[in-house]
Amino acid sequence: MQEQYLTVAREGVHETEINRSRFLCALAPAATEREAQDFVARVRREHPTATHNCFAYVIGADAAVQKASDDGEPGGTAGVPMLQMLLRRDVRYVAAVVTRYYGGVKLGAGGLIRAYGGCVGEALDAIGTVTRRRYRLATVTVDHQRAGKLQNDLRSTGRSVRDVRYAEAVRIEVGLPDADVDAFRGWLADATAGTATLELGGEAYGAG
């Protein structure tokens, strides 16, 4: 399993002009293939008069789902270089659509490959990426008296507090890098005088 991956920080559009053709690269985070497909469809609706709306998306921390479309450009000159740029930059859970308005100058196969791939790279730089690291989810159960201080201590030591639930006891869900689990057990015992319990759950990705 991947220890970390990058994804786009937010949805955004970056525009560039190459030999009088306008290239608009729209990027968006996409948690599922359906979200990616919906984003592609939305961009196409926004640019119905464009010459081409080519797309690529990568879903999964391990890039399990990869799709690309040339949308009428010569085979392999648009969607594939877009996809390759996303993969080369280790970007996941992302959809990219490059909308082209033809300006009357043919770019040739090499020019198209550079234009579409380059446009995605420029958009990633302009819009920005964030790192998601793999975490082990862990639930700390502690009494109400100690819960407030423990939450403050967790945050002040840079721990990722993901959820807090109040019942007879307080359950605090935290995200821990695998390598930190043993050290965290010791820290938790010291911080709560041995009164808190720690239960390890599954894995997830969070901001790192």
Side-chain angles (χ1 to χ4, degrees), residues 57-74:
Y57 56 77
V58 182
I59 308 297
D62 54 356
V65 177
Q66 303 175 20
K67 290 275 169 64
S69 164
D70 296 314
D71 192 37
E73 291 281 30

Side-chain angles (χ1 to χ4, degrees), residues 2-3 12 29 48 64 70 72 105 117 126 139 143 163:
Q2 291 277 112
E3 283 304 316
D70 296 314
V105 179
T139 304
D143 61 48
D163 190 28

